[in-house]
Amino acid sequence: PLPLFPASPSSLSISPPHFLSPVTEPVTEPVDPVDLLSEEEEQQPYPALAPVVFFCIKQTTRPRSWCLRTVSTWFEHVSMIVILLNCVTLGMYQPCEDVTCQAEWCLILQVFDDCIFAFFAVEMVIKMVALGIFGSKCYLGDTWNRLDFFIVMAGMMEYSLDGHNASLSAIRTVRVLRPLRAINRVPSMRILVTLLLDTLPMLGNVLLLCFFVFFIFGIVGVQLWAGLLRNRCFMGEDFRTLYNLSLSVYYQPEESEEDPFICSAIRENGMLRCHDVPPYSEGGAECSLPAPSLGGEGGARDGCVNWNQYYNVCRPGNVNPHKGAVNFDNIAYAWIAIFQVITLEGWVDIMYYVMDAHSFYNFIYFIFLIIVGSFFMINLCLVVIATQFAETKQRENALMREQRARYMSNDSTLASYSEPGSCYEEMLRYVSHLYRKLTRRVQRMYTTWHR
């Protein structure tokens, strides 16, 4: 038989009897990893969360344990109700009717807003105590929680600056972001927004291609039509002075400047010339007489003179159509016009302006632009979004199935995320857990007694 205590250090390689083994490493039988997992889960009720926050508060400590139970039960439902109430109160504000907020209805809404802000602040503090502040598993580790933190901080700034003669209009606009907090409370909506955000990197190549297409079409438009949309039909320089006329310097249609008469210069082949200016009218009747000769006598002075026939000089002016918004004078304005064309909103007017000033065959440019920009590029963006959405959705479903399989294989009944089975299965799991727990305690008492 081997001695109980070895006489030399060389004999330390011989295994001692089981009743002299350390408590943490019994050699009688191997420790089941499931038992260790169960013991760890028993010590940490929420394994997915940080075990210690604020350097000293554990999950079982009273302030944090209360906050964890509050967050994991009914708190999210109450938060969702408060968010919906906040949407209603924000929609009821009428700042134009009561600027100083002295009416009874405005004061009631203000009280509701203060209570809602207090609830959001308390919610943030509770979640910070429950989850911690910094870290991957803590409060500020989640993007939606950072949005909540920003909204609460903006509200605190508004209340701190109130009464200091400071402009709070920019800060109060942050209240509009409060309804976005509902995205984090509804899991399906949160997943949908996350999937849409995942598609944005895939649109980089498509947007780069759109930029090159816009750049090419913009350069072509600037080279062909720079300054042409300023063309107007002007009178002679001394004609208005000689006849003391109060007419406009260049011809303007009776409608407005929103539909200008853009003429084509002599060197261009546009659709409109200055001789196409309609006759001057008085009282609804068109005038056809020429201007009387200076110093002469005749009935022309008393008749209806067609003054519009003297708008016969086509040259560039200072105004572009639609208050200068539509033109091809530089690449920036050309991109604005191209973007308006591919949206199919008012593109016909731009095409007619260019055809009147330059050439009838300019419609080919706009047809190609609509085919490439509207029918191809925009639909390509939609295809990329739909494809990436399907891939991301498939990946999320696979991850959820993997987590579900892992949770189903966990035998511990104290796991925070394990899916519940039938009543019979839960009873067997609970009895198995009690048996393992009793076995561990008996083993500890036995080894302690033999020490």
Side-chain angles (χ1 to χ4, degrees), residues 45-65:
Y46 301 91
L49 302 179
V52 179
V53 297
F54 298 106
F55 303 102
C56 61
I57 303 179
K58 299 181 179 180
Q59 293 186 3
T60 56
T61 307
R62 277 297 175 84
R64 191 183 179 192
S65 61

Side-chain angles (χ1 to χ4, degrees), residues 16 86 92 97-98 120 139 146-147 171 203 221 226 251 264 268 287 291 320 363 369 376 424 434 437:
N86 186 29
M92 289 184 177
E97 296 183 2
D98 189 7
F120 289 157
Y139 181 77
R146 288 196 291 269
L147 175 62
I171 301 177
L203 295 176
Y251 172 72
S264 175
E268 306 294 345
C287 302
N320 280 304
F363 72 90
L369 180 58
F376 179 72
Y424 179 71
L434 292 179
K437 188 175 181 181

Side-chain angles (χ1 to χ4, degrees), residues 74-105:
W74 46 267
F75 198 72
E76 291 297 330
H77 300 287
V78 177
S79 178
M80 190 65 190
I81 295 175
V82 174
I83 291 174
L84 295 178
L85 179 62
N86 186 29
C87 296
V88 175
T89 56
L90 289 176
M92 289 184 177
Y93 270 109
Q94 297 178 353
C96 295
E97 296 183 2
D98 189 7
V99 179
T100 58
C101 193
Q102 299 296 328
E104 181 179 0
W105 183 250

Side-chain angles (χ1 to χ4, degrees), residues 380-413:
L380 180 60
C381 293
L382 297 178
V383 169
V384 171
I385 293 174
T387 304
Q388 182 62 24
F389 183 86
E391 293 178 358
T392 309
K393 184 66 175 178
Q394 184 178 2
R395 185 179 67 250
E396 292 292 331
N397 290 335
L399 181 61
M400 292 175 61
R401 287 194 298 268
E402 180 182 354
Q403 292 178 352
R404 186 178 296 110
R406 184 171 67 251
Y407 298 149
M408 290 294 291
S409 62
N410 189 5
D411 294 331
S412 174
T413 58

Side-chain angles (χ1 to χ4, degrees), residues 317-337:
N318 298 321
V319 182
N320 280 304
H322 297 280
K323 298 181 180 179
V326 177
N327 63 80
F328 292 87
D329 295 349
N330 53 57
I331 194 66
Y333 279 107
W335 283 344
I336 295 176

